[in-house]
Amino acid sequence: MRPKDGMVDARLAHLQTLRTRMVGGVNQVMRRIWEQGQQPASVRVRQAFYRLDEMRTLEDERKPLPKEQQPFAARMVTPKGLQLRLMLTMLYAAQCAVGPGKQWDAPYLVESTAKHPVSWMSLSASISQHAGPGIQLASEDVNRRR
């Protein structure tokens, strides 16, 4: 049964907006990075990033481990998932740019320029919605830049 507060409908509307207005452009930029780079068959993530070395028991499934005891990826999960998505995007971009064990010396700028068309803004999809009086309206570009 759906909650009556409209949150499910709002989230669905946000996802549809992302899909129709932004995800296609982000996917094109990601494909360009892959084609111009190392073209890895897969993006590798160390197991410690998403899994603990030893199993921990929870008192209640609704009460997670304290943050300091969680794997790194779990600590990055937020309601909108922005931190984890950005970290995974960075791993993808780095692994397309350089081979395993090499340092990535040329990360992207925040905003695109004529000289550097690929930027972190071009690799992220974010939407904004006016929430009523007293709340400052932010555009998608402002949200991605932030």
Side-chain angles (χ1 to χ4, degrees), residues 23-40:
V23 172
V26 170
N27 285 342
Q28 286 177 352
V29 174
M30 288 203 170
R31 178 162 293 284
R32 184 181 324 148
I33 289 170
W34 185 84
E35 289 170 348
Q36 295 173 355
Q38 301 285 321
Q39 299 184 356

Side-chain angles (χ1 to χ4, degrees), residues 3 10-11 26 28 39 47-48 54 61 83 88 93 101-102 105 109 125 129 131 136 138 141:
R11 183 70 179 139
V26 170
Q28 286 177 352
Q39 299 184 356
Q47 184 172 319
E54 60 184 55
E61 67 183 36
Q83 289 178 337
L88 293 173
K102 304 256 170 62
D105 292 328
L109 301 172
Q129 181 179 13
Q136 187 173 6
D141 285 346

Side-chain angles (χ1 to χ4, degrees), residues 32 36 108-109 111-119:
R32 184 181 324 148
Q36 295 173 355
Y108 303 119
L109 301 172
E111 293 185 69
S112 301
T113 64
K115 190 175 180 181
H116 302 284
V118 177
S119 68

Side-chain angles (χ1 to χ4, degrees), residues 55-141:
M55 184 74 78
R56 304 271 169 84
T57 305
L58 299 176
E59 291 177 26
D60 181 359
E61 67 183 36
R62 293 178 185 229
K63 186 177 179 187
L65 290 171
K67 285 278 187 195
E68 63 275 0
Q69 294 178 18
Q70 295 176 4
F72 191 69
R75 286 183 248 159
M76 299 176 84
V77 174
T78 58
K80 293 186 181 180
L82 300 176
Q83 289 178 337
L84 185 57
R85 279 191 289 167
L86 180 60
M87 176 60 80
L88 293 173
T89 300
M90 289 175 164
L91 286 171
Y92 171 82
Q95 290 182 32
C96 285
V98 296
K102 304 256 170 62
Q103 183 172 339
W104 186 28
D105 292 328
Y108 303 119
L109 301 172
V110 173
E111 293 185 69
S112 301
T113 64
K115 190 175 180 181
H116 302 284
V118 177
S119 68
W120 293 120
M121 282 181 63
S122 67
L123 288 167
S124 65
S126 174
I127 60 172
S128 64
Q129 181 179 13
H130 184 60
I135 304 296
Q136 187 173 6
L137 180 62
S139 70
E140 283 87 4
D141 285 346

